[in-house]
């Protein structure tokens, strides 16, 4: 049974007059949390030169953040429920702000990667807590839906413009400022939050935390990703590759065994009894692996092969951003008419074709219009088309009470996919480049061909995922579902029930 501490819940006597100011503070911080997933991409070549990263090690600038943020996301939400959403949000903001300062001040590659791990932990604490505060601040359903619309819109924009912001800041100032700009937002949040929003927590019969599940899941994924990245520079049979791979698999096996036995699991295994949800989360890993690999290698390609500046690189991503928004809009229109399964199938086959087109456009003498633009625009569109359908598939036959769990699992799978893509497809590209340069191929030619090879492999993975969608998915409700709104509705319902 779930109850609510009424003395800690705003809205018991009406809407809080400070609610819109509080939303502005929460949304500004969420904007920074989401943007930090993509903001580093354009700055990667400058970071590599400045801190002497190896090509394989450079992927950890992205992976360190997404692995910890995804691995501890559900635990962060549980902590917020038990110990106070405002308290955990402020703790997450403090951790994120301090880690951002450490990222910007990094003098060696290891310092930056370690700081990105801590940044991800801050995101895992602050993100779920901030979302949990919205139904407390907005007890009126109409206002709550408006607030959640603003929240979701800003989150989408943050992810889309990360590359553009990164390019401008890196070019005009220095790559370190893509991290330093987080600090004033974090300070503002720490100052304003105690002034404009109440504390809120859910009181439950059990106060157990599934730290074992969170630590083994995250540790296992980190070890697996580390082993895969080592394969870029060592043979698959070497201890540098097999050791972390086997250790990571053992940790993930321990996590499954623990979740099956603990009375309060982070992810109840019953959640995975629905084949549509399982398939949707699996193919989410595939498409986010392809997407983050594309962004990572496209950035290196245009800067290393075509001598693009960081700002020009950021601006080059605008077609992808625009077509992704168009694709998402088309998806919401098409799903009620032709069904989620059909939309998802078209999206995955289309994304696979777009990657083949993108690979064909990679050449040392390619132009933007005829070489890069078709792949950018098409890949952005089909990724945008896929995302709303993936949300509906991940929420298939999920009640409002479990929508927060389903959304958390889907987000974790997306971030896991990003890390696995950088750990598998990127090493294929780097190994190809190293081997062909050693054989006398010009570096610019080897880079173009090696990066295109990674895209072709990603295209095959997406085509296989599309076939899995056709074979496994059940009929899914075509009406667009909003996991953020549903989680908020469930929380609000619990609050109202206790008044």
């Amino acid at each position: 049974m779930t109850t609510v501490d009424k003395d800690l819940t705003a809205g018991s006597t009406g809407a809080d007059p400070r609610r819109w100011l509080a939303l502005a503070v929460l949304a500004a911080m969420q904007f920074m949390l989401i943007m930090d997933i993509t903001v580093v991409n354009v700055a990667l070549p400058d970071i590599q030169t400045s801190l002497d990263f190896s090509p394989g090690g450079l992927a950890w600038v992205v992976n360190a953040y997404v692995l910890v943020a995804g691995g501890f996301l559900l635990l962060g939400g549980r902590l917020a429920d038990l110990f106070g959403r405002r308290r955990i949000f402020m703790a997450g903001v403090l951790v994120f702000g301090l880690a951002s300062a450490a990222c910007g001040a990094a003098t060696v590659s290891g310092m930056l990667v370690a700081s990105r791990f801590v940044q991800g932990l801050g995101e895992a604490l602050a993100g779920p807590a901030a979302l949990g505060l919205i139904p407390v601040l907005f007890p009126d359903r109409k206002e709550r839906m408006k607030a959640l619309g603003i929240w979701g819109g800003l989150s989408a924009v943050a992810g889309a413009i990360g590359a553009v912001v990164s390019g401008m800041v890196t070019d005009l100032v220095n790559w370190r400022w893509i991290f330093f700009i987080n600090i004033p937002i974090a300070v503002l949040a720490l100052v304003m939050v105690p002034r404009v929003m109440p504390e809120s927590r859910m009181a439950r019969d059990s106060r157990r935390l599934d730290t074992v599940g969170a630590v083994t899941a995250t540790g296992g994924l980190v070890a697996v990703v580390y082993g895969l990245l080592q394969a870029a520079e060592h043979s698959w049979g070497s201890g540098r590759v097999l050791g972390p791979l086997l250790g990571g698999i053992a940790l993930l096996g321990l996590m499954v065994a623990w979740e099956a036995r603990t009375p309060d699991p982070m992810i109840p295994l019953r959640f995975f009894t629905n084949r549509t949800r399982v398939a949707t989360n699996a193919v989410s890993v595939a498409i986010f692996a392809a997407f983050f690999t594309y962004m990572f290698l496209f950035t290196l390609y245009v800067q290393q092969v075509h001598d693009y500046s960081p700002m020009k690189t950021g601006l080059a991503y605008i077609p992808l951003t625009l077509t992704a928004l168009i694709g998402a809009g088309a998806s919401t229109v098409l799903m009620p008419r032709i069904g989620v399964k059909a939309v998802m199938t078209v999206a995955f086959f289309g994304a696979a074709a777009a990657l083949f087109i993108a690979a064909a456009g990679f050449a040392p003498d390619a132009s933007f219009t005829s070489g890069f633009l078709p792949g950018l625009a098409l890949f952005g569109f089909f990724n945008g088309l896929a995302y709303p359908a993936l949300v509906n598939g991940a929420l298939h036959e999920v009640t409002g009470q479990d929508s927060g769990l389903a959304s958390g699992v889907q987000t974790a799978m997306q971030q896991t996919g990003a890390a696995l893509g950088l750990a598998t497809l990127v090493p294929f590209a780097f190994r190809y480049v190293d081997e062909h340069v050693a054989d006398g191929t010009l570096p610019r030619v080897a880079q173009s061909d090696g990066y295109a090879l990674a895209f072709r492999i990603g295209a095959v993975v997406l085509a296989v995922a599309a076939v899995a969608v056709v074979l496994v998915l059940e009929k899914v409700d075509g009406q667009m579902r909003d996991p953020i709104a549903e989680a908020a509705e469930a929380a609000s319902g619990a609050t109202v029930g206790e008044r």
Side-chain angles (χ1 to χ4, degrees):
M1 179 179 177
T2 301
T3 58
V4 177
D5 291 346
K6 287 184 273 190
D7 60 321
L8 293 173
T9 304
S12 58
T13 59
D16 193 311
R18 305 162 298 176
R19 60 195 181 281
W20 293 108
L21 178 58
L23 177 66
V25 175
L26 291 174
M29 195 64 221
Q30 178 70 1
F31 188 91
M32 299 305 299
L33 293 173
I34 297 298
M35 195 171 70
D36 261 64
I37 298 174
T38 58
V39 76
V40 298
N41 276 292
V42 172
L44 287 172
D46 282 38
I47 292 173
Q48 182 178 16
T49 301
S50 179
L51 299 182
D52 196 27
F53 270 95
S54 67
L58 191 63
W60 280 108
V61 179
V62 180
N63 280 344
Y65 186 89
V66 297
L67 279 173
V68 175
F72 285 102
L73 182 73
L74 294 175
L75 182 63
R78 176 72 164 154
L79 285 168
D81 284 347
L82 292 180
F83 299 110
R85 299 184 181 105
R86 188 180 73 180
R87 179 181 301 166
I88 297 300
F89 174 74
M90 291 183 67
V93 169
L94 179 62
V95 169
F96 184 83
L98 291 174
S100 295
C103 287
T107 55
V108 294
S109 59
M111 180 178 176
L112 178 58
V113 170
S115 300
R116 288 285 284 172
F117 273 113
V118 180
Q119 259 195 324
L121 179 61
E123 198 275 347
L125 294 173
L131 177 60
L133 283 164
I134 290 180
V136 177
L137 292 165
F138 296 92
D140 177 74
R141 187 180 187 279
K142 185 177 180 180
E143 281 198 340
R144 184 165 61 252
M145 292 302 101
K146 183 178 180 180
L148 288 166
I150 294 171
W151 178 272
L154 284 175
S155 296
V157 170
I161 71 170
V164 178
V165 171
S166 177
M168 294 178 63
V169 171
T170 302
D171 219 19
L172 298 177
V173 191
N174 185 280
W175 67 264
R176 297 180 183 277
W177 283 90
I178 64 175
F179 300 111
F180 286 147
I181 59 175
N182 295 335
I183 299 173
I185 302 297
V187 171
L188 175 66
L190 290 172
V191 171
M192 293 297 296
V193 164
R195 301 170 184 266
V196 298
M197 66 186 67
E199 183 55 286
S200 161
R201 73 167 66 100
M202 302 294 289
R204 299 176 184 265
D205 294 337
S206 171
R207 297 181 67 86
R208 294 188 184 94
L209 287 173
D210 187 14
T211 52
V212 173
V215 170
T216 51
T218 305
L221 287 172
V222 169
V224 168
V225 168
Y226 179 78
L228 292 172
L229 286 172
Q230 290 298 302
E233 301 172 1
H234 304 279
S235 68
W236 284 96
S238 71
R240 297 286 295 272
V241 176
L242 285 179
L245 277 178
L246 295 176
I249 291 170
L251 281 174
L252 293 175
L254 175 62
M255 184 270 291
V256 173
W258 174 264
E259 295 296 280
R261 296 175 62 86
T262 185
D264 291 298
M266 182 176 65
I267 308 175
L269 296 186
R270 62 171 172 77
F271 180 80
F272 297 103
T273 58
N274 182 283
R275 74 184 195 193
T276 293
R277 288 200 300 268
V278 171
T280 299
N281 281 297
V283 298
S284 295
V285 171
I287 199 163
F288 276 83
F291 182 79
F292 273 78
T293 297
Y294 180 87
M295 293 192 69
F296 186 91
L297 292 178
F298 180 82
T299 295
L300 297 183
Y301 168 70
V302 296
Q303 293 195 32
Q304 294 174 347
V305 177
H306 292 277
D307 298 320
Y308 273 32
S309 67
M311 182 180 291
K312 190 175 180 180
T313 304
L315 294 175
Y317 277 107
I318 290 177
L320 182 145
T321 300
L322 293 177
T323 55
L325 294 174
I326 294 170
S331 184
T332 59
V333 172
L334 289 172
M335 281 192 297
R337 298 181 180 181
I338 65 174
V340 172
K341 184 174 181 177
V343 170
M344 204 182 297
T345 302
V346 170
F348 274 78
F349 276 125
L355 276 185
F356 276 118
I357 293 170
F362 268 32
D365 57 351
S367 67
F368 178 80
T369 303
S370 62
F372 315 153
L373 183 58
L376 270 172
L378 288 173
F379 193 57
F381 175 80
F382 286 111
N383 271 271
L385 189 70
Y387 184 72
L390 290 171
V391 170
N392 272 32
L395 292 173
H396 181 56
E397 295 185 352
V398 168
T399 63
Q401 184 177 358
D402 283 338
S403 59
L405 170 65
S407 177
V409 170
Q410 170 70 182
T411 301
M413 290 301 99
Q414 293 170 9
Q415 294 176 335
T416 298
L420 290 177
L422 296 179
T424 53
L425 300 177
V426 169
F428 270 110
F430 288 160
R431 176 165 285 192
Y432 180 99
V433 172
D434 290 343
E435 290 175 353
H436 283 73
V437 168
D439 290 339
T441 304
L442 291 175
R444 296 173 72 234
V445 175
Q447 287 170 322
S448 299
D449 293 345
Y451 299 165
L453 173 63
F455 291 174
R456 293 188 184 100
I457 296 171
V460 172
V461 171
L462 289 179
V464 171
V467 173
V469 168
V470 173
L471 296 177
V472 177
L473 250 66
E474 304 163 289
K475 184 177 180 180
V476 180
D477 184 7
Q479 294 299 319
M480 185 61 197
R481 295 184 66 177
D482 186 341
I484 296 176
E486 291 183 19
E489 285 289 309
S492 178
T495 301
V496 171
E498 288 300 315
R499 288 180 190 169

